Amino acid sequence: MDSGAKNRVCSSVYLQFPEVRGANPSVSSLPGDKYQLIFRGKAKAADGKIIPRTVRVTANEEGKILKLTTSR
């Protein structure tokens, strides 16, 4: 995955999930010219507790997001 495609995916994820903004994703390749990017960050809940946030993105080599999941 080239840096332009990675930047497109990152900016889209950062807009939707600001709690992972600035996190450098780990990138792994999948079969069929797809890539998986995993973003990890922390969010603050209303009661002040810290909640870990993981955003997993499957994207093609052009940077188009095919699937996006999140967990806490």
Side-chain angles (χ1 to χ4, degrees), residues 4 6-7 10 12 20 24 26-28 31-32 36-37 39 41-42 45 50-52 61-62 68-71:
K6 182 179 171 184
N7 288 337
C10 288
S12 179
V20 298
N24 191 20
S26 62
V27 180
S28 58
Q36 183 178 57
L37 292 84
F39 298 83
K42 295 181 182 187
I50 301 296
I51 301 170
E61 58 186 13
E62 289 85 36
L68 188 141
T69 61
T70 183
S71 64

Side-chain angles (χ1 to χ4, degrees), residues 2 8 13 16 19 25 34 39 42 46-47 51 53 59-60:
D2 66 351
R8 283 191 291 278
V13 170
Q16 192 170 355
E19 60 269 15
K34 296 178 188 171
F39 298 83
K42 295 181 182 187
D47 60 358
I51 301 170
R53 169 78 71 159
N60 64 10

